[in-house]
Amino acid sequence: MLMHPASAISTLLQPPIVRTGFLPHASGPSAQRPPSTKDIPPVTLTNIPHVESSAFTSYLKQAGSLYEVFQRAKEGDEAFGVQNRRPHGSAKGEQPQSPLLQGYPRRKGSVPSTPVSETGAFAPNSPPVKRQPAGRKRGPLPIAPLSTIPNVYFEPDFHLENPRTFDIVSERSEIARPPAVNGAATTPGSSGRKALATNAILQEKLSWYMDTVEVHLISSISSASSSFFAALGSLRDLHLEAAASVSKIKALREDLGSLDKNMAQGGLKIVALRRRRENMRKLGDAVQQLREVVEVVARCEEQVNEGEVEAALNGLMTVERLIAGERSGRPCLEPQESSVAQSRLIDLRGINALEGSGDDIAYLRQRIGKSFETRFLDALLDDLRKHVDSVPPSTTFQRWDSASQRSRGAHARTPSMYPTYLQLDATLRSALQSNLDGLAKCDCLKQATTAYREALWREVKSLIRRHLPSSTDDDVESTMSASTQGGRRMTQQEKSSILARNLRDLDPEDAEEMLGQIYSNVGEALRRLGTQVKVVLDITSTFSTQSVSQVTSPMSPPAANMDSYINDAPIGPPAHPSIQQEDIQQTLDMSNLLGQAVDIAQAQITKILKVRSEQSVLLPLPRFLKYFYLNRLFADECEAVSGRGGTALKGVVNAQIKDFVHRSADKERQKLIESMDVDRWDAKDFAEADCVLLARVLEASTRDIEAWSNGSVIWSNQNTTVNGEQQINGTIANGNEQQPKDKIRSANIDEQKFILPESALSVLRGINSFEHIITGIPSMTQEITSSLLEYLKLFNSRSQQLILGAGATRMAGLKNITTKHLALASQALSFVTTLTPYIREFIRRRSTNAQGLMVEFDKVRRLYQEHQSGINDKLIDIMGSRATTHVNAMKKANWSASSPTDAVSPYMETLVKETTTLHKVLSKHLPEMTVRAIMEPVFMSYREQWAKAFREVDVKTASGKERMLRDAEYFKVRISKVDGAGNIGDAIVDVVNEKTVADEKPQPTESAKGIPNGTENNSVGKDVNE
């Protein structure tokens, strides 16, 4: 019978669970009256306590061992399977119903004829039971299978308090009868369910289920007992065999010990004696080798003291090879002195006798390496100083300028030549080769390169410091004060203060020369440094591992010790430390090395520039542009060498540039205001210097001006300034040159001529200065252009205040503003308006964001045009007011009074004179088109006023009409000669001819008391005449 752990009896002790299953058939009605609710005492239902599985641990331990024995016996013995076979006569595959489902009980010990399907955990899988042969004794009755027990009892979660589980177990029996309805008694069995208290069949089934389980347990235990005792017998036999084997092994060990004692130990003793004799011989050779080591070390020390570092280094390498047990190709001692020439060398690095030699050898190596390091540094630094001193600053600046021009896509201004910093002497390379080889053998390359870095930084500082002024007071007063102080040494702060004061006291020429020397020396030093680093790296890259010390220090762990040598163990090659090529490349990393050198140089130079910031900002324009270009070339060179932009240096220079631009703009505005305030608005001669300035402004719109670009030629020593003022063809262009008195020359722009006052010439100089700054400092185009726009707006507003606002009468002492002043102001505005497109194109060529600036220039031009139109309107208004005055005088005249024959009235004479004077002045200072544009509105005003006035005047006598006609004819004759008058004279004459004379007698007249000579508004008339 196959048992399953889940079908053990312990599963019956688990808490009940809800499980669905078939319900048994209801039994038929019983003849006995079932008890009523009154007959059954009330029962208080309580919860069945839950029992933990740990309570059955002791039981499970006892039953578990027996169950395992049962399983083993069942697998080995098939005879016990007969009890689990199916009964005879059951068809294959039949699935008979359970007796529990058929509704009748099974008695204890009875065998079901048709068992249910084997769904339980203990269901048999053996073949059907064979029929016993005749004549054999009948065996025991077969055990009822566990499949006859409902599955609900085998569920792991069996809980009887579960209503559904209890209903299945009780076969749907009623616990109590329901009460009678309307007093009628309930008939027993009317509901089809049995009463639990009287269900004897259910009680019998439960007893039978328990008997079946007990029978199966007894059968399982009995079947496993025989196998258990058989296993115990087998274990006892195994113990006996193991004891016999141990006895045999013990006897064998005793035999082997006896054999080892009698035969093997004697032979080993003989071998050990032979080896001892060989070791004694080797020990003698080692002592001789040690003696030679001591002698060679002493010889090396003497050579180091005598300065023969190459020989000492070779001897030191021989010693290290000798200590390591290697033969050197170059013996330090004579053959007769050396006693180990033919002996076998051993590794002595592990013996106690050489414990102190490690320090001595390391010290000797350090001294030798220090000597090679000194030679290495001297060779490089001497070459660096020699190169810096041999290259003049002009050559360096020309090379920088050529590189700058190439980077900007322009042609170099000087022919290119092979750089001197790339020219390397063969002696330097051989010296570096020898020194680096010695350093490599001493394993001091990294220390030497590190020392070279530090010495190089000190050298860069020295290159800057030697061109600075003294940091001590050398005058008499300072000497006396030092003597009174008792010779006290100055502190570093005092020295720095004196140096800063001396830097500020430098002349512009001396300061420029100082910066040029510093920049050229530092630049050439950086370039030469790059060449030296390349040579050093090239030499060290050719070194092999054999070029350095091929042995480790005597104090380092040996590859093979003395014991291994004596025992004839193979001595492997010593560990060869290779050149720390990565360390050397890291130490001499060109970008890092040059970058740090550039940082040090720029840090020192930045301090110098900060000290002289105020003096630099106050430099004249040409010298400041040269100063700016020098700093820009140096910054570009540093960036080209190291790849670092030099933020601090550029920040200081940019701050000075901004300050200079603002100061220059303020200075130009102030000069313009001062020039306009003292200007009497007279025509000035346009001299040759002014023509040159005008030509530069015009040509700058299409090409670069060479005179403005010459400021970047920093290698030239030509004097371009006199007291800070720019020279043009030998004449100082400051507006104070002597002009000829016979003729005033005009400015010409595209066939246009301009007669200009001094204020316009000042504007031209200011525009030239702004464009010069933009050409020299392209990075400040935006800011300078804004200042230029403000400068042009200032001229417009200031001229408007002085002329139209009559401010010149207070500032320049003019009595009044005349037509000439208005005409010259209009010419100045027209001149600047004509220059504006050229300025605009100049800015567009140099600005990256020119769209907004172009709009601003258009606005400025419109302002100038509006101002010019205002001046024209002012002239028209003046002449219109003068005409009105003369019309009033004409109306007040007594036309009936007698007058001299052919005499013209004073008002007409004055009108004609003022008109012709106006035309003459305008024609002299303004273009013909502008004059016509002014005179035509004037004559139109004349036509309207005089035609109306002559029509309104009442002429009563023929003589009065004749007199009026004579005035009109005079106006016609004189005005017709003026350009733009047209037929105004004929129109006035026709109006007078059309007048009629009244038929009245002439009235006695008074003497003409009107305004015969036009004295009214005499000041205005005088202004126009002037």
Side-chain angles (χ1 to χ4, degrees):
M1 181 179 64
L2 179 63
M3 299 293 291
H4 193 277
S7 300
I9 192 172
S10 61
T11 58
L12 299 177
L13 302 178
Q14 297 296 330
I17 63 170
V18 178
R19 178 172 177 176
T20 59
F22 295 103
L23 299 178
H25 294 287
S27 61
S30 177
Q32 183 181 3
R33 186 181 69 84
S36 63
T37 56
K38 295 180 179 181
D39 297 332
I40 300 174
V43 178
T44 302
L45 300 178
T46 59
N47 292 330
I48 299 176
H50 176 72
V51 180
E52 297 293 338
S53 59
S54 59
F56 304 97
T57 303
S58 59
Y59 168 74
L60 292 176
K61 290 181 179 180
Q62 297 176 2
S65 60
L66 296 177
Y67 179 73
E68 292 177 359
V69 174
F70 161 72
Q71 288 289 357
R72 290 194 299 269
K74 182 176 178 300
E75 294 175 357
D77 191 1
E78 296 293 337
F80 292 95
V82 179
Q83 300 177 1
N84 297 323
R85 296 175 182 172
R86 295 180 180 272
H88 178 70
S90 60
K92 185 179 181 180
E94 247 182 25
Q95 191 71 18
Q97 292 184 349
S98 174
L100 185 60
L101 298 179
Q102 294 177 356
Y104 61 92
R106 291 280 184 181
R107 295 297 181 179
K108 182 177 180 181
S110 62
V111 180
S113 60
T114 307
V116 296
S117 60
E118 299 167 348
T119 58
F122 292 96
N125 294 324
S126 59
V129 181
K130 298 182 180 181
R131 186 177 299 273
Q132 295 180 357
R136 180 178 295 184
K137 184 178 178 181
R138 185 174 181 179
L141 295 176
I143 302 175
L146 292 175
S147 60
T148 59
I149 302 175
N151 294 332
V152 67
Y153 293 102
F154 298 103
E155 291 181 355
D157 295 334
F158 179 84
H159 296 281
L160 191 60
E161 65 268 20
N162 190 332
R164 183 173 296 178
T165 303
F166 185 81
D167 194 23
I168 295 173
V169 171
S170 64
E171 298 181 355
R172 302 185 63 187
S173 300
E174 291 183 351
I175 298 175
R177 293 293 182 181
V181 180
N182 296 327
T186 304
T187 305
S190 60
S191 61
R193 301 175 64 181
K194 295 180 180 181
L196 181 62
T198 59
N199 194 346
I201 297 175
L202 177 62
Q203 297 293 335
E204 190 68 21
K205 285 181 179 182
L206 294 175
S207 177
W208 182 71
Y209 293 158
M210 295 179 64
D211 293 342
T212 302
V213 171
E214 291 177 0
V215 169
H216 276 280
L217 287 175
I218 295 172
S219 176
S220 298
I221 293 171
S222 62
S223 62
S225 59
S226 60
S227 299
F228 174 74
F229 290 111
L232 289 178
S234 299
L235 182 61
R236 184 174 59 255
D237 295 340
L238 182 62
H239 286 173
L240 293 176
E241 293 178 0
S245 298
V246 169
S247 299
K248 293 179 180 180
I249 292 173
K250 182 177 180 181
L252 180 60
R253 287 181 176 178
E254 292 176 355
D255 294 341
L256 291 176
S258 176
L259 182 63
D260 181 52
K261 181 178 180 181
N262 296 329
M263 297 183 63
Q265 289 183 1
L268 291 176
K269 185 176 181 180
I270 295 174
V271 173
L273 291 174
R274 292 178 178 177
R275 182 174 295 277
R276 183 178 181 184
R277 183 183 62 182
E278 181 66 19
N279 290 342
M280 292 299 293
R281 185 187 64 80
K282 292 181 179 180
L283 180 60
D285 294 342
V287 172
Q288 295 297 329
Q289 181 180 349
L290 181 59
R291 183 184 66 83
E292 186 171 352
V293 167
V294 174
E295 293 177 355
V296 174
V297 169
R299 178 71 59 83
C300 292
E301 187 173 1
E302 293 177 359
Q303 292 174 346
V304 170
N305 295 331
E306 295 173 358
E308 300 176 1
V309 290
E310 290 83 359
L313 180 59
N314 293 332
L316 190 62
M317 294 178 63
T318 302
V319 168
E320 290 179 338
R321 291 177 180 272
L322 191 60
I323 293 176
E326 298 179 359
R327 296 189 182 274
S328 176
R330 293 171 296 182
C332 292
L333 299 178
E334 297 297 333
Q336 60 274 13
E337 298 178 7
S338 178
S339 59
V340 295
Q342 303 298 329
S343 62
R344 181 184 176 187
L345 301 180
I346 64 173
D347 189 356
L348 301 178
R349 286 175 291 180
I351 65 176
N352 297 330
L354 292 179
E355 287 184 355
S357 64
D359 297 335
D360 296 336
I361 294 177
Y363 178 68
L364 286 176
R365 181 184 298 276
Q366 182 181 3
R367 290 179 59 185
I368 295 172
K370 198 66 177 177
S371 299
F372 280 113
E373 177 184 323
T374 303
R375 295 182 183 182
F376 175 71
L377 295 181
D378 291 342
L380 289 176
L381 294 179
D382 290 344
D383 175 73
L384 185 66
R385 298 187 186 103
K386 181 179 178 182
H387 172 74
V388 169
D389 295 337
S390 64
V391 179
S394 59
T395 304
T396 304
F397 296 153
Q398 291 179 17
R399 177 172 59 82
W400 291 357
D401 181 72
S402 299
S404 178
Q405 296 297 328
R406 286 194 301 268
S407 64
R408 289 166 174 79
H411 297 287
R413 292 180 285 191
T414 57
S416 60
M417 61 183 64
Y418 187 73
T420 56
Y421 61 84
L422 294 177
Q423 300 175 3
L424 190 65
D425 191 4
T427 57
L428 174 63
R429 185 177 182 89
S430 61
L432 292 178
Q433 178 78 32
S434 175
N435 294 327
L436 288 173
D437 183 65
L439 289 171
K441 293 178 180 179
C442 293
D443 198 16
C444 296
L445 274 175
K446 185 176 181 180
Q447 293 84 342
T449 52
T450 303
Y452 174 58
R453 289 168 62 95
E454 297 174 354
L456 178 65
W457 296 338
R458 292 192 299 268
E459 184 65 22
V460 170
K461 293 181 180 180
S462 176
L463 289 175
I464 299 174
R465 191 181 302 111
R466 69 178 181 177
H467 295 291
L468 296 178
S470 176
S471 60
T472 58
D473 291 330
D474 297 331
D475 54 356
V476 179
E477 181 180 356
S478 299
T479 304
M480 293 176 62
S481 63
S483 62
T484 56
Q485 293 177 0
R488 182 182 61 86
R489 298 183 60 183
M490 291 184 296
T491 63
Q492 187 63 33
Q493 184 177 2
E494 293 174 345
K495 291 182 179 180
S496 300
S497 177
I498 295 173
L499 176 60
R501 185 189 64 192
N502 293 337
L503 283 173
R504 296 188 190 98
D505 293 340
L506 288 176
D507 295 335
E509 294 81 1
D510 296 337
E512 182 179 320
E513 182 181 0
M514 177 193 69
L515 288 179
Q517 291 288 345
I518 291 175
Y519 287 172
S520 63
N521 289 352
V522 172
E524 289 298 331
L526 293 176
R527 288 293 184 176
R528 192 64 172 184
L529 170 62
T531 303
Q532 291 180 354
V533 171
K534 291 178 182 178
V535 172
V536 171
L537 291 178
D538 179 62
I539 294 175
T540 55
S541 64
T542 60
F543 289 163
S544 61
T545 56
Q546 285 76 20
S547 299
V548 295
S549 176
Q550 295 187 355
V551 293
T552 58
S553 174
M555 298 305 296
S556 61
N561 55 19
M562 188 72 175
D563 294 336
S564 63
Y565 168 73
I566 292 178
N567 296 326
D568 286 336
I571 301 177
H576 300 304
S578 63
I579 302 177
Q580 301 296 329
Q581 189 67 24
E582 296 182 358
D583 295 338
I584 298 173
Q585 292 179 356
Q586 183 178 2
T587 306
L588 293 181
D589 182 15
M590 184 177 297
S591 60
N592 187 21
L593 180 61
L594 293 176
Q596 292 184 1
V598 167
D599 292 342
I600 292 174
Q602 290 189 354
Q604 300 294 324
I605 294 172
T606 301
K607 296 178 181 178
I608 298 174
L609 297 183
K610 286 182 178 179
V611 171
R612 285 193 53 83
S613 291
E614 184 176 355
Q615 288 74 19
S616 300
V617 170
L618 297 177
L619 289 174
L621 175 58
R623 195 169 293 279
F624 182 84
L625 293 180
K626 194 173 183 180
Y627 167 79
F628 159 73
Y629 196 69
L630 178 63
N631 283 280
R632 192 186 74 178
L633 288 181
F634 178 72
D636 293 344
E637 176 70 6
C638 291
E639 186 172 1
V641 169
S642 65
R644 303 188 182 184
T647 306
L649 176 62
K650 290 183 178 179
V652 173
V653 176
N654 289 336
Q656 294 178 358
I657 291 173
K658 291 180 180 180
D659 198 2
F660 175 80
V661 168
H662 293 160
R663 287 174 179 265
S664 298
D666 295 340
K667 182 180 178 180
E668 292 298 332
R669 285 193 292 267
Q670 188 64 28
K671 289 169 61 177
L672 178 62
I673 293 174
E674 293 175 356
S675 176
M676 295 181 71
D677 288 345
V678 300
D679 189 10
R680 299 186 63 84
W681 296 92
D682 295 329
K684 295 293 183 179
D685 180 61
F686 202 74
E688 291 294 333
D690 300 324
C691 292
V692 174
L693 294 179
L694 179 59
R696 290 177 181 176
V697 174
L698 298 179
E699 293 175 3
S701 61
T702 57
R703 66 180 182 87
D704 294 337
I705 304 302
E706 183 179 358
W708 293 346
S709 302
N710 287 337
S712 60
V713 185
I714 56 179
W715 57 88
S716 177
N717 294 326
Q718 297 179 359
N719 295 326
T720 57
T721 60
V722 177
N723 296 329
E725 297 292 340
Q726 186 176 4
Q727 287 187 345
I728 303 175
N729 294 334
T731 305
I732 301 177
N734 58 3
N736 296 326
E737 66 275 5
Q738 186 68 26
Q739 62 182 9
K741 298 182 179 180
D742 54 349
K743 184 180 180 181
I744 296 178
R745 290 169 291 184
S746 61
N748 299 325
I749 302 177
D750 296 337
E751 299 180 357
Q752 297 185 33
K753 297 183 178 181
F754 300 92
I755 303 297
L756 302 176
E758 180 62 30
S759 298
L761 300 180
S762 298
V763 172
L764 177 62
R765 299 187 192 103
I767 294 173
N768 181 84
S769 178
F770 278 109
E771 291 190 353
H772 191 179
I773 298 176
I774 293 175
T775 303
I777 313 177
S779 59
M780 297 294 294
T781 300
Q782 192 81 14
E783 292 78 0
I784 301 173
T785 303
S786 301
S787 300
L788 176 58
L789 289 170
E790 294 296 329
Y791 182 78
L792 297 177
K793 292 178 182 178
L794 173 64
F795 175 73
N796 177 66
S797 60
R798 193 68 179 176
S799 60
Q800 188 173 7
Q801 295 173 3
L802 294 174
I803 302 302
L804 293 182
T809 57
R810 300 185 302 273
M811 303 301 297
L814 298 178
K815 294 181 179 180
N816 44 48
I817 304 301
T818 63
T819 304
K820 180 186 68 175
H821 300 152
L822 292 173
L824 288 174
S826 179
Q827 273 290 82
L829 295 174
S830 179
F831 176 72
V832 178
T833 304
T834 307
L835 286 179
T836 300
Y838 295 93
I839 303 173
R840 182 175 181 270
E841 185 63 20
F842 170 79
I843 299 300
R844 188 191 64 79
R845 290 178 56 243
R846 297 183 174 274
S847 177
T848 57
N849 186 16
Q851 188 63 30
L853 297 177
M854 299 303 101
V855 174
E856 293 297 326
F857 274 105
D858 294 338
K859 292 180 180 179
V860 170
R861 188 176 184 183
R862 284 195 294 270
L863 289 176
Y864 274 79
Q865 290 174 350
E866 293 174 358
H867 187 185
Q868 192 174 2
S869 298
I871 293 177
N872 295 341
D873 295 340
K874 181 66 174 179
L875 291 171
I876 295 171
D877 292 341
I878 290 175
M879 297 310 298
S881 62
R882 296 301 301 164
T884 301
T885 301
H886 296 312
V887 165
N888 294 332
M890 185 271 293
K891 290 181 179 180
K892 295 179 180 180
N894 186 2
W895 295 103
S896 300
S898 60
S899 62
T901 306
D902 298 335
V904 181
S905 301
Y907 75 89
M908 185 56 70
E909 291 181 357
T910 305
L911 175 64
V912 171
K913 181 179 178 181
E914 291 176 350
T915 304
T916 54
T917 302
L918 174 66
H919 182 266
K920 181 180 179 181
V921 173
L922 295 180
S923 300
K924 180 179 179 181
H925 298 93
L926 298 179
E928 182 179 353
M929 294 182 61
T930 306
V931 174
R932 181 180 290 273
I934 296 174
M935 296 306 298
E936 286 181 355
V938 171
F939 289 130
M940 290 178 63
S941 175
Y942 283 0
R943 182 191 296 271
E944 295 177 0
Q945 293 189 52
W946 287 106
K948 181 179 179 182
F950 281 126
R951 290 191 184 98
E952 293 177 353
V953 173
D954 187 14
V955 181
K956 299 180 180 180
T957 61
S959 61
K961 181 179 180 180
E962 182 180 355
R963 177 183 168 190
M964 184 179 293
L965 182 62
R966 192 164 52 247
D967 292 343
E969 291 289 345
Y970 178 79
F971 179 80
K972 174 183 176 182
V973 173
R974 299 294 300 273
I975 294 300
S976 61
K977 298 178 182 180
V978 179
D979 187 18
N983 60 349
I984 184 175
D986 295 335
I988 298 299
V989 171
D990 293 341
V991 171
V992 174
N993 288 331
E994 292 175 358
K995 291 186 66 67
T996 58
V997 180
D999 293 336
E1000 299 178 358
K1001 294 181 180 180
Q1003 300 292 333
T1005 62
E1006 299 177 358
S1007 60
K1009 297 180 180 179
I1011 309 177
N1013 55 356
T1015 56
E1016 188 174 339
N1017 291 332
N1018 189 39
S1019 61
V1020 178
K1022 184 177 181 180
D1023 293 344
V1024 175
N1025 292 334
E1026 291 181 359

